[in-house]
């Protein structure tokens, strides 16, 4: 639910505040070095300004959901590649760029750390994701020693709403402290801009994880974005779901059809909106979780069917506008790379011939790590870990191949994320 609007903080103060409250001060202090140890990177990788442009772009999420954002990036054609003017030119906007994707699957769902009272640990995890992308260190599929042949990145896309909510300011503050020429783009700011562009009259509903909603990042960012544009702020309601992402991924723990979970969440969001005593119906729906754009049809159908009931007719607008932060993030990345003159021009190429994909898995040999029967981290172990132990590497980031994906996830990618699927290695 929307809190009364606070005057926006000066932009320069945000990184300072974030660092002051960072739970991971040692992690930030010790990360730049020679990049050999866990959670460190080679501080000299960006010394040659011209070489920086030829580095890949890093994209990370808590799991494979962020591949929806990578798909949006890979397929974007919203600009003329040579003139940078808006408009399609028949060529993907990032045709020359290469990407390194990382999904922190072993430590997900990120959306549940707030309910477990462990957002301090989550913030550390998110910083470690960024440090991984900045570094050269990654683990091989087989073998007990890390390798050092992964290139660093020139930009980081936080393709996870929950990670943006809890980690964007920390990462920006750390990058500023490390004095790196690396761009950071998060899905929430892009989503808020999408709300501003939607130019609807009715209310706003945010569907996201429990953690993202608890952080209030969307109401805050939407309020700031509309406020800076000199616009009034409509009522904003939120609904945090603990089930919808899993159901969309085909997780066996959620056996009912996606439409059943979508209806439940739509009803809860409409109820939260009605509690605000609105004068106008709910019209703009922000798909504030990486997985939800994959179920937009089911979510819209759920609102339509609810509206068929007299109780909801005046609460829900006849036509809804959906905001998909993935598309908007892709545009934001294009603009930011162009602004920083980090975009590769026609005829130029990245140091990486092909995109790379990594996924975290438990590191069973780490002392004290506790595993569940399915080989993942034990749930209680996962959510009771404390920050401030940088020597503990209980998960490792290995190459992600098609063969590693559970059957429902593989089908989802094959059917819905064709550009990503065609770039993923077999195995
Ligand atoms: N990727 C997360 C997000 O967009 C959803 C999954 C999770 O909770 O880790 O918020």
């Amino acid at each position: 639910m929307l809190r009364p609007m606070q005057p926006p903080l000066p932009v320069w103060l945000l990184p300072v505040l974030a660092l002051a409250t960072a739970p991971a001060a040692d992690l930030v202090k010790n990360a730049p070095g020679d990049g050999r140890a866990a959670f460190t990177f080679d501080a000299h990788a960006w010394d040659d300004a011209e070489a920086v442009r030829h580095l890949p772009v890093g994209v990370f999420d808590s799991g494979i959901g962020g591949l929806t954002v990578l798909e949006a990036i890979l397929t974007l054609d919203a600009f003329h590649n040579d003139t940078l003017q808006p408009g399609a030119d028949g060529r993907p906007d990032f045709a020359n760029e290469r990407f390194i994707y990382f999904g922190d699957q072993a430590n997900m769902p990120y959306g549940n750390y707030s309910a477990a009272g462990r957002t301090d640990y989550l913030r550390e995890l998110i910083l470690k994701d960024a440090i991984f992308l900045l570094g050269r260190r990654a683990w091989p599929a087989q073998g007990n020693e890390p390798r050092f042949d992964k290139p660093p990145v020139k930009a980081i896309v936080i393709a996870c709403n929950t990670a943006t909510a809890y980690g964007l300011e920390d990462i920006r503050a750390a990058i500023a402290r490390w004095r790196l020429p690396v761009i950071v783009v998060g899905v929430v700011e892009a989503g808020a801009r999408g709300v501003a562009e939607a130019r609807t009259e009715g209310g706003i509903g945010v569907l996201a994880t429990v953690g993202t909603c608890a952080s209030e990042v969307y109401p805050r960012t939407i309020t700031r974005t509309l406020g800076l544009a000199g616009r009034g702020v409509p009522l904003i309601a939120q609904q945090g779901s603990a089930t919808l992402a899993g159901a969309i991924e085909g997780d066996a723990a959620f056996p009912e059809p996606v439409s059943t979970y979508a209806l439940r969440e739509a009803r809860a969001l409409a109820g939260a909106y009605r509690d605000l005593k609105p004068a106008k119906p709910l019209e703009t729906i922000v798909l504030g979780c990486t997985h939800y754009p994959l179920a937009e049809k089911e979510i819209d159908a759920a609102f339509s069917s609810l509206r068929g009931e007299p109780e909801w007719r005046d609460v829900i607008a006849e036509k809804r506008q959906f905001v998909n932060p993935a598309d908007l993030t892709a545009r934001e990345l294009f603009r930011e790379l162009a602004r920083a003159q980090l975009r590769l021009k026609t005829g130029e190429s990245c140091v990486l011939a092909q995109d790379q994909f990594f996924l975290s898995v438990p590191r069973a040999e780490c002392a004290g790590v506790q595993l569940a029967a399915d080989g993942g981290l034990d749930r209680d172990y996962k959510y009771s870990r404390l920050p401030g132990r940088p020597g503990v590497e209980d998960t490792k980031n290995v190459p992600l191949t098609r063969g590693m994906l559970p059957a429902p996830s593989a089908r989802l990618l094959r059917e819905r994320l064709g550009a990503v699927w065609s770039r993923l290695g077999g195995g």
Side-chain angles (χ1 to χ4, degrees), residues 61-63 65-66 107-112 159-163 187 208-209 212 245 249 288-291:
D61 175 43
S62 56
N107 292 303
M108 82 166 296
Y110 278 7
N112 292 350
C160 175
N161 295 268
T162 315
V187 279
T209 64
T212 298
E249 215 169 281
C289 169
T290 45
H291 293 61

Side-chain angles (χ1 to χ4, degrees), residues 4 14 38 116 119 162 165 168 231 244 262 290 301 305 307 328 333 340 362 368 370-371 384-385 388 395:
L14 294 175
T119 51
T162 315
L168 176 74
R231 306 249 307 270
L244 194 50
T290 45
S305 114
R307 202 172 177 278
L328 298 146
L333 175 64
Q370 286 168 35
L371 302 183
S384 60
R385 290 173 295 175
T395 62

Side-chain angles (χ1 to χ4, degrees), residues 19 22-31 124 127 177:
L19 258 193
D26 282 348
L27 187 66
V28 173
K29 193 166 92 205
N30 298 330
E124 206 175 87
L127 267 171
R177 176 171 173 164

Side-chain angles (χ1 to χ4, degrees), residues 216-415:
E216 302 253 338
V217 70
Y218 267 109
R220 219 178 35 241
T221 314
I222 291 169
T223 301
R224 195 172 59 217
T225 306
L226 290 175
L228 287 173
R231 306 249 307 270
V233 182
L235 290 176
I236 306 176
Q238 302 193 90
Q239 168 57 18
S241 172
T243 58
L244 194 50
I248 293 167
E249 215 169 281
D251 185 330
F254 308 102
E256 295 179 66
V258 170
S259 53
T260 307
Y261 297 99
L263 185 58
R264 211 170 284 161
E265 303 305 344
R267 192 183 293 278
L269 180 59
Y273 184 70
R274 186 174 57 188
D275 290 347
L276 302 176
K277 313 229 176 314
K280 291 179 179 164
L282 176 62
E283 191 178 2
T284 306
I285 314 287
V286 179
L287 300 172
C289 169
T290 45
H291 293 61
Y292 297 175
L294 293 168
E296 183 178 323
K297 262 206 308 232
E298 288 89 341
I299 295 169
D300 196 31
F303 282 110
S304 289
S305 114
L306 274 184
R307 202 172 177 278
E309 300 172 21
E311 163 185 16
W312 299 108
R313 177 152 288 267
D314 297 333
V315 180
I316 301 169
E318 189 183 354
K319 283 208 168 66
R320 276 81 48 194
Q321 283 240 22
F322 284 87
V323 172
N324 175 357
D327 290 340
L328 298 146
T329 302
R331 288 164 199 257
E332 190 87 349
L333 175 64
F334 185 93
R335 280 191 288 260
E336 288 300 312
L337 282 178
R339 205 189 330 263
Q341 303 196 330
L342 284 175
R343 241 187 110 251
L344 286 172
K345 303 190 181 80
T346 304
E348 293 183 331
S349 57
C350 177
V351 291
L352 204 58
Q354 289 178 340
D355 300 330
Q356 291 184 349
F357 296 82
F358 293 91
L359 207 65
S360 63
V361 294
R363 193 167 155 260
E365 58 273 34
C366 174
V369 70
Q370 286 168 35
L371 302 183
D374 65 1
L377 290 181
D378 172 74
R379 211 194 124 77
D380 289 343
Y381 171 83
K382 188 191 290 189
Y383 289 105
S384 60
R385 290 173 295 175
L386 298 173
R389 300 185 307 147
V392 178
E393 194 179 13
D394 58 5
T395 62
K396 58 183 181 180
N397 305 339
V398 301
L400 163 65
T401 57
R402 289 178 181 178
M404 281 171 76
L405 293 166
S409 306
R411 193 176 57 244
L412 198 67
L413 263 58
R414 196 172 50 239
E415 291 173 0

Side-chain angles (χ1 to χ4, degrees), residues 11-86:
V11 173
W12 61 266
L13 196 57
L14 294 175
V16 179
L17 281 179
L19 258 193
T21 60
D26 282 348
L27 187 66
V28 173
K29 193 166 92 205
N30 298 330
D34 65 6
R36 305 298 290 183
F39 316 124
T40 68
F41 60 85
D42 171 6
H44 294 290
W46 299 267
D47 283 356
D48 177 349
E50 175 51 26
V52 172
R53 279 191 325 111
H54 298 266
L55 294 177
V57 172
V59 179
F60 82 84
D61 175 43
S62 56
I64 61 162
L67 289 171
T68 57
V69 179
L70 183 59
E71 179 80 11
I73 292 172
L74 293 173
T75 55
L76 185 75
D77 180 14
F79 299 93
H80 288 258
N81 288 12
D82 295 327
T83 63
L84 311 187
Q85 292 304 307

